[in-house]
Structures are given as C-alpha cells and as structure tokens.
C-alpha cells in the first residue's frame, strides 16, 4: 500500500522545486522610472510667449544671471522635464529622486534620438529642444512648447516616444551651468 505513494514523492518534489524556481521578476528588465518626485509643470500662463522659430515657443519664467548665453558649442547642465500638454510625463531628470541635472552637449541635440539606459530614460533630443535652449542664461527657468513637427514626429516605431509623435511637448527647464 505504501509503494504507490512513494511513486508520487519524486513528482511532488520536482513540481515544488520547479514552482519555487519560477520567478516572475525578470533580472534583465528595466523598471519604469519613478516620476513621483518630479516637480509639477511650470505655470507659464502669466509669461509672454517668444517665438523662437516656427513650431517652437519659449516662456521665460525667471531670468538668468550673467552675460553668457547658451550657444551651439556649449556643454550644459539642466534640470529638465518633458511632458505632453495633457501633463503626461515622458522624461524627467528628477525621476527616481535624482537631484543632479542632466549634462549634455548642445551640438548633439540635432536629431531625434530616444534610447533607454538602465533605469532612466534619456529625452529625445529634438530640434525644438535645441532651438529653445539657445540664448538661455545660467539660472534661467524656461518653458519651451514644441510642436509635433519639431518634436517626436519623426521617431521610429521602435522608439518608446513613438506614442507621442502627434503630441505637442512641454519642456520645463532650469539651466544650472554652461561650460565652454
């Protein structure tokens, strides 16, 4: 009578080990960014729009200091949040409680280039972003509104920003520093 029960013990043990080894967490997956620490969208309703070029408007919320302004050859450090006008956050340097600004070369902001690196998403470097940064001073706080044509319209279907190709973008930016 005990012999038939002994036949099932290896099957039960194998099943238990198999279930225990099944982990629903993929060690190679990249978790989505935590946007809970991202500042609220800048209120630019009281600021006058400045048309930078067709499809790109800037609203200067706090003027910067000094004589130096951003040009195409500069390295800059910025706090940046990119969102749709419906307030859906696409990228923020403040994601995951990050206090550090993003570092970038203005000359590299010339084409749409959206990639995901580790736990942070890198913003698509759009022509509208580049145009909106030029002329900023250190300490300046600015909102840049970018039409789809100057934003994500040209991204490939494999880009995580593809879903935003028809959206007008709001870049909220604080320029921390300019390096020549």
């Amino acid at each position: 009578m005990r012999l038939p029960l002994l036949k099932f013990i290896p099957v039960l043990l194998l099943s238990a080990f198999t279930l225990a080894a099944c982990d629903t967490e993929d060690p190679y997956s990249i978790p989505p960014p935590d946007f809970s620490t991202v500042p609220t969208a800048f209120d630019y309703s009281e600021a006058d729009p400045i048309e930078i070029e067709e499809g790109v408007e800037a609203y200067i919320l706090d003027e910067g200091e000094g004589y130096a302004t951003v040009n195409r050859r500069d390295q800059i450090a910025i706090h940046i949040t990119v969102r749709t006008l419906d307030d859906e956050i696409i990228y923020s340097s403040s994601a995951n409680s990050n206090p550090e600004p993003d570092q970038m070369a203005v000359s590299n902001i010339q084409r749409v280039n959206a990639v995901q690196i580790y736990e942070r998403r890198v913003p698509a470097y759009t022509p509208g972003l580049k145009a909106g940064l030029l002329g900023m001073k250190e300490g300046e706080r600015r909102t840049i509104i970018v039409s789809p044509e100057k934003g994500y319209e040209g991204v490939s279907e494999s880009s995580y920003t593809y879903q935003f190709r028809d959206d007008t973008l709001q870049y909220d930016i604080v320029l921390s520093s300019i390096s020549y």
Side-chain angles (χ1 to χ4, degrees):
M1 217 181 232
R2 290 191 169 211
L3 188 57
L5 288 176
L6 290 176
K7 289 167 81 178
F8 291 108
I9 289 177
V11 172
L12 289 174
L13 286 174
L14 182 61
S15 298
F17 285 125
T18 303
L19 288 175
C22 291
D23 188 0
T24 58
E25 297 285 329
D26 180 0
Y28 302 105
S29 71
I30 299 171
D34 175 13
F35 291 136
S36 65
T37 58
V38 173
T40 58
F42 292 171
D43 179 9
Y44 58 94
S45 62
E46 299 293 320
D48 294 326
I50 301 167
E51 186 171 348
I52 304 294
E53 60 183 46
E54 188 176 334
V56 181
E57 287 184 339
Y59 296 83
I60 299 173
L61 306 173
D62 291 318
E63 292 194 18
E65 298 177 356
Y67 297 104
T69 61
V70 174
N71 69 50
R72 298 180 194 290
R73 297 178 306 277
D74 292 334
Q75 296 278 338
I76 59 173
I78 60 172
H79 292 278
I80 181 173
T81 298
V82 185
R83 54 176 46 95
T84 66
L85 294 182
D86 294 329
D87 206 32
E88 183 174 352
I89 298 171
I90 300 167
Y91 171 82
S92 180
S93 60
S94 299
N96 304 322
S97 301
N98 180 36
E100 299 299 318
D102 282 355
Q103 307 284 327
M104 62 182 69
V106 176
S107 62
N108 289 342
I109 306 172
Q110 57 194 347
R111 59 186 167 79
V112 175
N113 178 20
V115 295
Q116 196 167 335
I117 299 177
Y118 303 112
E119 78 281 357
R120 294 184 56 204
R121 290 181 177 174
V122 176
Y125 291 167
T126 63
L129 172 61
K130 183 175 187 175
L133 289 170
L134 298 176
M136 287 186 75
K137 294 181 179 181
E138 285 186 3
E140 185 173 322
R141 194 167 65 99
R142 177 182 284 198
T143 292
I144 303 166
I145 304 297
V146 176
S147 69
E149 298 79 23
K150 299 287 183 165
Y152 296 142
E153 185 177 74
V155 297
S156 70
E157 287 186 43
S158 62
S159 170
Y160 76 90
T161 57
Y162 182 74
Q163 63 185 317
F164 305 109
R165 69 192 176 281
D166 297 325
D167 287 308
T168 298
L169 306 175
Q170 176 177 336
Y171 288 90
D172 290 332
I173 297 171
V174 177
L175 180 63
S176 296
S177 66
I178 303 171
S179 302
Y180 311 104

